[in-house]
Amino acid sequence: MDLISGSTYWPSTLEQTLDFPPLAEELDCDVLIIGGGMSGSLCAQLLGERQVNTVLIDRRKLAHGSSSANTGLLQYSNDKTLTSFIHTLGETNGVLFYRMCKDALDQLEKLAATLDIDPFFIRRSSLYYASTPEDVQMLQEEYKQLTRFGFPVEYWEEQQVATRFPFRRPAALYTHEDAEVNPFRFAQGLLQSANRLGVRLYEHTEAKHLEFGENEVVCHTSDGTIRTKKVIFATGYETQEIKKDRGAILESSYAIVTNPVGNSSLWHEQCLIWETARPYLYIRSTREGRIIIGGLDEPVLNSNQREIRLLHQQKKLLQALQEHFPDVPFQIDYAWAAVFGSSHDGLPYIGPHPRFPNCYFVEGYGGNGTVTSMMAAQLLADELTGTHRPEMELFSLTRTNSPSPDTTKPVV
Ligand SMILES: Cc1cc2nc3c(=O)[nH]c(=O)nc-3n(C[C@H](O)[C@H](O)[C@H](O)COP(=O)(O)OP(=O)(O)OC[C@H]3O[C@@H](n4cnc5c(N)ncnc54)[C@H](O)[C@@H]3O)c2cc1C
């Protein structure tokens, strides 16, 4: 799958990326991780910490899949509201999922602090504004639910938004304890750390064919073979080419990064900004004083079409940014389009699959992919070291709470 078109920003922020050889031998291990993006690198780090004999392979250079297109917003609120999760999953599971997201953010912060490559993890609040007056009631309901279960959030009227930002919106939620990160540096830092903990890494090494035995899996690459007890598929959106998930949707998403404009005084607390419209626009700043705006998701998958659409969509993103901040002269320095995946019920897919014995999947679909990848890495590291966590059932690949595509309502 051709995951990305255009030029992504993050690789320019790291002087020297990691270099590992392709696999050219026969190996044995206890856990093979296929995929060295954010999901694979988090799994590698956690298994490395527990001294599990682990090998990780990637068909590309490490961290050059979707994780280099990620815009690095980390939030406990999801594309689907808590209210909506409570409606579809019931109160216990809806609240459990939101709490797990919040805990995963704390875990990401702890890990970030241990790495030699600084991933620029910074705690931020998020402004979630009503795109239209019709969305105000939904925000009020969401505010009630979030406060009822102890999530840190404020409700702002139009005037409170207007005094802090150069734009007016009918209402907003201001959530606390979210964060921003540089996802490319984060994945590279985790891989470096995992490698030092003993995890063996191979890039330009594709898993081409797997044989499933009763107690082992044999993975064939072009020039090597790996005999392993367990496999973690951390293959991102390309997992849809390995097995199809009934509730997964792949689209194209777009992002631009501006010239450095000095971000500290442009808006309130350099918070993350997003909105209730679907697809939504989101805005954040970077350490270099650049602004990132992304969104405009649409169902274009062919990479030729996507490149043409990028020319149009990058102008629309610039225009939208200019509408939010009319006095700042923005220019586009980087623009990219990339495959983006979500699930119909808003939950990730994490766990085993009946057709793949001794294997686990990590599919952190949705705008909060990094947070759910963290959650997955925790659940799987526990599972593979002998502690089954019942929460994993919520993310089952064969779950039935996911409505079939033709009966799905748009996510709130
Ligand atoms: C434009 C955009 C903006 C985004 N913004 C955010 C955001 O702000 N916050 C957020 O949390 N998430 C965001 N996401 C989502 C985020 O990018 C994904 O959740 C994340 O990248 C998934 O990581 P991954 O490791 O699962 O996948 P990837 O990074 O794609 O890694 C999978 C790896 O598997 C390898 N692979 C696949 N098949 C094989 C094989 N057969 N053999 C060997 N290797 C294989 C690939 O080469 C790849 O490197 C965004 C996504 C896009 C596209």
Side-chain angles (χ1 to χ4, degrees):
M1 194 181 286
D2 191 359
L3 292 170
I4 303 170
S5 314
S7 58
T8 56
Y9 161 61
W10 305 115
S12 73
T13 64
L14 185 60
E15 242 166 55
Q16 199 164 10
T17 54
L18 305 176
D19 271 325
F20 289 93
L23 179 71
E25 58 186 311
E26 291 197 4
L27 289 182
D28 284 302
C29 61
D30 290 337
V31 179
L32 167 64
I33 301 170
I34 306 178
M38 188 61 79
S39 306
S41 54
L42 285 165
C43 290
Q45 169 69 18
L46 265 52
L47 292 172
E49 283 172 8
R50 296 172 195 210
Q51 292 297 298
V52 177
N53 176 5
T54 305
V55 169
L56 180 148
I57 60 171
D58 198 298
R59 59 154 40 131
R60 298 183 171 81
K61 267 198 81 56
L62 295 173
H64 280 72
S66 305
S67 297
S68 64
N70 181 338
T71 42
L73 285 77
L74 308 175
Q75 296 169 311
Y76 72 77
S77 282
N78 276 257
D79 297 357
K80 199 168 150 172
T81 57
L82 175 61
T83 312
S84 181
F85 272 121
I86 289 176
H87 185 67
T88 52
L89 302 178
E91 191 172 287
T92 307
N93 285 340
V95 175
L96 172 68
F97 178 56
Y98 258 54
R99 292 215 168 113
M100 288 177 81
C101 288
K102 197 155 177 310
D103 290 348
L105 257 153
D106 295 342
Q107 295 298 328
L108 287 164
E109 180 176 35
K110 279 190 196 132
L111 276 178
T114 64
L115 303 178
D116 279 353
I117 299 175
D118 183 351
F120 306 154
F121 181 105
I122 304 172
R123 284 288 183 176
R124 298 279 187 215
S125 298
S126 299
L127 180 80
Y128 184 46
Y129 68 66
S131 309
T132 65
E134 289 73 47
D135 294 341
V136 170
Q137 202 187 341
M138 184 270 278
L139 281 189
Q140 287 169 344
E141 180 58 27
E142 180 66 356
Y143 174 67
K144 264 195 228 152
Q145 295 289 9
L146 288 172
T147 45
R148 186 154 85 95
F149 295 103
F151 292 97
V153 59
E154 295 172 45
Y155 180 83
W156 287 356
E157 307 280 355
E158 179 169 355
Q159 193 51 36
Q160 289 166 287
V161 177
T163 53
R164 294 168 173 89
F165 297 86
F167 50 82
R168 298 188 83 85
R169 290 296 182 272
L173 297 185
Y174 199 62
T175 56
H176 298 289
E177 299 175 31
D178 291 331
E180 67 181 39
V181 77
N182 177 323
F184 185 73
R185 291 179 63 100
F186 201 4
Q188 295 263 329
L190 287 164
L191 290 164
Q192 183 186 60
S193 163
N195 186 240
R196 287 178 184 156
L197 291 165
V199 176
R200 289 167 284 170
L201 308 175
Y202 298 91
E203 49 192 15
H204 300 300
T205 302
E206 180 172 355
K208 284 186 172 294
H209 172 64
L210 278 86
E211 290 169 53
F212 302 99
E214 206 172 306
N215 297 314
E216 66 168 15
V217 181
V218 182
C219 171
H220 298 278
T221 68
S222 18
D223 297 310
T225 305
I226 304 156
R227 200 171 279 281
T228 180
K229 292 187 184 133
K230 303 284 178 196
V231 175
I232 296 178
F233 282 94
T235 39
Y237 305 136
E238 288 172 314
T239 310
Q240 294 307 306
E241 292 177 337
I242 299 167
K243 59 147 193 62
K244 288 244 177 286
D245 294 296
R246 205 163 62 99
I249 314 155
L250 297 187
E251 294 192 299
S252 290
S253 190
Y254 303 86
I256 61 170
V257 177
T258 70
N259 52 319
V261 290
N263 48 21
S264 55
S265 55
L266 280 190
W267 70 80
H268 187 64
E269 297 182 335
Q270 283 177 257
C271 66
L272 314 175
I273 301 174
W274 65 310
E275 59 168 339
T276 55
R278 294 292 181 270
Y280 55 86
L281 289 171
Y282 55 88
I283 303 173
R284 60 161 282 191
S285 57
T286 75
R287 194 181 155 102
E288 280 182 296
R290 300 173 186 274
I291 309 301
I292 302 179
I293 176 167
L296 305 180
D297 306 1
E298 57 179 359
V300 180
L301 277 181
N302 167 312
S303 56
N304 290 336
Q305 282 177 344
R306 199 173 59 199
E307 265 172 45
I308 296 164
R309 287 297 293 161
L310 175 59
L311 297 173
H312 175 75
Q313 300 292 66
Q314 68 185 42
K315 284 192 200 135
K316 273 180 81 172
L317 287 172
L318 183 63
Q319 203 182 342
L321 185 61
Q322 215 66 75
E323 280 164 14
H324 283 79
F325 304 100
D327 297 336
V328 188
F330 296 113
Q331 287 158 29
I332 301 176
D333 275 0
Y334 300 86
W336 65 93
V339 177
F340 177 72
S342 46
S343 65
H344 277 298
D345 63 4
L347 293 173
Y349 295 101
I350 304 167
H353 188 284
R355 281 200 296 112
F356 296 79
N358 296 309
C359 295
Y360 296 89
F361 287 82
V362 178
E363 300 172 73
Y365 295 167
N368 236 356
T370 311
V371 167
T372 51
S373 292
M374 180 73 247
M375 210 182 273
Q378 287 277 357
L379 290 170
L380 294 186
D382 284 352
E383 178 84 10
L384 291 165
T385 51
T387 308
H388 176 70
R389 300 253 306 271
E391 303 95 290
M392 203 151 80
E393 303 309 321
L394 196 55
F395 312 119
S396 162
L397 275 69
T398 53
R399 63 182 177 256
T400 49
N401 61 17
S402 167
S404 64
D406 42 334
T407 61
T408 298
K409 297 194 197 101
V411 278
V412 177

